[in-house]
Amino acid sequence: MVANSPLAPAYFDAPGSYLGPLSVLHWINDALMAVFFLLVGLEIKREMLDGQLSTWPRRALPGIAAAGGIEPLQVCRRLFGVSHAASGLASCAA
């Protein structure tokens, strides 16, 4: 909604502006994503120690689902011989 308002120029220029030594886009890409994955890792650890994933039978289904999410991309990559450098995984995942 902001992109279609009079504030649009400020909205689109914000990622290029600097907040301290880094640009706002760099803060989003690096700092906030690092915090996000830290919290996800801590949540998974808590679930594996005390929560719903505390036993091996309960861990099996999420593990199989994770492997199933990765496997089609690997099969596509191997079938078409696309490397990471050529950005081939993006075309297989789309």
Side-chain angles (χ1 to χ4, degrees):
M1 292 187 354
V2 176
N4 294 324
S5 73
L7 298 173
Y11 175 75
F12 288 113
D13 291 338
S17 61
Y18 280 82
L19 185 63
L22 305 173
S23 69
V24 172
L25 185 62
H26 194 245
W27 279 108
I28 292 169
N29 286 341
D30 287 351
L32 293 178
M33 292 299 280
V35 170
F36 170 76
F37 283 111
L38 172 70
L39 293 175
V40 168
L42 290 173
E43 179 69 19
I44 291 171
K45 179 180 177 182
R46 186 185 68 77
E47 286 295 325
M48 291 184 99
L49 294 177
D50 298 325
Q52 293 291 320
L53 302 175
S54 60
T55 62
W56 281 104
R58 288 188 164 184
R59 292 178 191 168
L61 183 60
I64 292 168
I70 294 170
E71 192 61 32
L73 294 175
Q74 294 299 319
V75 168
C76 181
R77 190 177 129 247
R78 293 197 192 284
L79 285 176
F80 299 112
V82 181
S83 68
H84 292 285
S87 299
L89 284 179
S91 63
C92 288

